[in-house]
Amino acid sequence: IWNLVFIQFNKLTDGSLENLPNKHVDTGMGFERIVAILQKKKSNYDTDLFQPIVQNLEKITGLNYSSASPEEMTAFRVAVDHVRALTFAISDGIIPSNEGRGYVLRRILRRAVRYGRKLNIHETFLHKLTPSVVQVMGKAFPELTNKEEYVRRVIKSEEESFGQTIDRGMELIDREIERLLSKKEIAFPGETAFKLYDTFGFPLDLTQLIAEEKGLTVNKKDFQL
């Protein structure tokens, strides 16, 4: 049910431990985990916190979540989890950008869009899931309801911007991976990863994720050069 962590010491630079003035127990018992237990579900995504969003995505894709392949199920989960994070963050005033927390948000959105491709979605779709997030959480967080249309516009704009480049970027990644595998090489060139970032807006961690799925590693040293 939970993982108990006893907060007792502060570890100093020399490796020694000193007692904290106040000691605590961290249960790791998040809201979603409590709901899953109460509703007797094996996964957070099977609870009523996520199912309305999942069902909305089923309508968009024409796929059935419960009978989806492992790869498709992962894509479902990434999409519904990420759109929830996007909806809350944008409602709190964060805007996708190229720096700071805005860049974290942009990476989350682009990762979700990429997983949408695994569900054969090639048009904007994340903004269509926002109403389902509001349906589930809007009563407890009224700011979601108040800013729903604004959030939809921001997400759709970001989707449209990334959608113009993702397919061309995916073509480049697929060609490079095919070339490396044919030569039985495992290092994805840092120069190619940088081109994907600079030209197509692919964050490095997204390129790493795609490469890792094929058993490859990205040369981060050359990327940073």
Side-chain angles (χ1 to χ4, degrees), residues 1-3 27-30 33-34 37:
I1 294 175
W2 54 24
N3 303 310
T27 67
M29 189 68 162
R33 190 177 294 186
I34 294 173
I37 292 167

Side-chain angles (χ1 to χ4, degrees), residues 52-53 55-56 130-139 144-145 148:
I53 315 171
Q55 290 162 12
N56 193 347
T130 299
S132 300
V133 179
V134 176
Q135 173 192 339
V136 175
M137 307 300 292
K139 187 174 181 180
L144 300 183
T145 302
E148 178 181 346

Side-chain angles (χ1 to χ4, degrees), residues 6-222:
F6 296 89
I7 311 301
Q8 182 176 355
F9 298 110
N10 178 40
K11 188 173 183 178
L12 304 177
T13 54
D14 63 3
S16 62
L17 302 176
E18 64 176 9
N19 276 292
L20 294 171
N22 296 301
K23 299 175 178 61
H24 311 278
V25 178
D26 181 354
T27 67
M29 189 68 162
F31 177 55
E32 287 83 1
R33 190 177 294 186
I34 294 173
V35 173
I37 292 167
L38 291 175
Q39 296 181 3
K40 299 181 180 179
K41 303 295 184 181
K42 293 183 178 180
S43 165
N44 295 344
Y45 299 97
D46 295 327
T47 68
D48 59 12
L49 292 175
F50 285 98
Q51 274 302 299
I53 315 171
V54 169
Q55 290 162 12
N56 193 347
L57 188 53
E58 286 179 324
K59 293 177 183 177
I60 293 171
T61 62
L63 299 172
N64 187 292
Y65 170 76
S66 60
S67 61
S69 68
E71 185 178 58
E72 291 170 339
M73 187 168 288
T74 297
F76 262 98
R77 292 179 173 186
V78 169
V80 301
D81 174 82
H82 285 19
V83 76
R84 196 175 72 155
L86 290 164
T87 302
F88 270 94
I90 296 170
S91 294
D92 280 344
I94 306 174
I95 297 295
S97 66
N98 284 329
E99 57 185 33
R101 60 186 187 174
Y103 183 55
V104 174
L105 208 60
R106 179 162 282 170
R107 288 164 63 185
I108 289 173
L109 186 143
R110 292 181 173 182
R111 186 170 187 263
V113 169
R114 185 254 166 169
Y115 270 92
R117 294 302 194 269
K118 292 182 175 291
L119 298 173
N120 200 31
I121 306 174
H122 292 273
E123 67 279 351
T124 60
F125 75 99
L126 287 171
H127 69 285
K128 298 176 183 178
L129 301 178
T130 299
S132 300
V133 179
V134 176
Q135 173 192 339
V136 175
M137 307 300 292
K139 187 174 181 180
F141 300 92
E143 66 272 20
L144 300 183
T145 302
N146 298 336
K147 296 185 178 180
E148 178 181 346
E149 186 54 36
Y150 169 71
V151 171
R152 281 169 57 91
R153 290 200 307 269
V154 172
I155 293 177
K156 185 178 181 182
S157 176
E158 277 291 310
E159 286 187 275
E160 289 173 341
S161 176
F162 188 46
Q164 295 171 3
T165 60
I166 184 173
D167 289 324
R168 284 180 289 163
M170 287 302 300
E171 289 177 8
L172 175 59
I173 289 178
D174 290 342
R175 286 200 306 270
E176 187 64 29
I177 289 176
E178 184 178 351
R179 183 185 71 81
L180 293 170
L181 293 178
S182 68
K183 293 185 176 183
K184 297 184 178 179
E185 297 178 7
I186 62 170
F188 191 96
E191 299 92 334
T192 305
F194 183 79
K195 181 178 180 181
L196 286 162
Y197 165 74
D198 189 50
T199 305
F200 301 106
F202 273 63
L204 177 61
D205 60 339
L206 179 57
T207 301
Q208 287 178 299
L209 178 68
I210 297 170
E212 287 169 1
E213 289 175 355
K214 300 295 183 180
L216 306 176
T217 58
V218 176
N219 188 325
K220 291 194 289 186
K221 183 177 180 181
D222 286 350

